[in-house]
Amino acid sequence: MIEQNETLIAEVETYASLMFSKEEIALILEVDPSELKDFFKDQDTAAFRAFRRGRLKREAQVRQGIFDLAQNGSSPAQAFAMKLIENAKMDDV
């Protein structure tokens, strides 16, 4: 049985932010992949929240880069930024 401790949670967040799959994270942490996947299925676990937090933080960094490039005149970045803005507005409705 995997113990959810602060070290495990921090490592899950770090590896999730690097876009490793759940199975790859289990291999890196040397834990049973099926046990770790069970933690990820339950949204009330610290492991699930750490996984999502890691992914979302990295996505936020990438989006920040897109908006920075858009402000500096990159046409492809501007088009993608507008798409992100439109999608966010649709989600808010």
Side-chain angles (χ1 to χ4, degrees):
M1 183 76 168
I2 301 171
E3 180 185 337
Q4 288 192 69
N5 56 45
E6 289 182 27
T7 302
L8 176 88
I9 300 309
E11 288 180 328
V12 165
E13 183 175 336
T14 297
Y15 295 128
S17 76
L18 296 171
M19 299 302 163
F20 283 105
S21 70
K22 293 171 183 175
E23 187 171 326
E24 290 169 330
I25 293 171
L27 291 171
I28 292 168
L29 298 177
E30 297 181 336
V31 298
D32 181 352
S34 62
E35 282 188 52
L36 192 62
K37 283 182 182 180
D38 286 343
F39 281 136
F40 293 147
K41 287 179 187 172
D42 183 357
Q43 295 184 14
D44 291 332
T45 64
F48 173 85
R49 290 189 302 274
F51 183 81
R52 292 290 295 145
R53 187 172 47 251
R55 291 279 170 97
L56 289 170
K57 282 182 175 181
R58 180 63 64 186
E59 184 178 345
Q61 290 172 339
V62 170
R63 286 180 181 213
Q64 183 64 57
I66 291 166
F67 282 104
D68 290 347
L69 288 170
Q71 279 190 296
N72 288 322
S74 167
S75 293
Q78 288 170 345
F80 194 70
M82 288 306 299
K83 206 172 246 190
L84 289 172
I85 292 166
E86 290 169 14
N87 288 342
K89 286 180 179 179
M90 288 185 351
D91 283 348
D92 289 343
V93 174

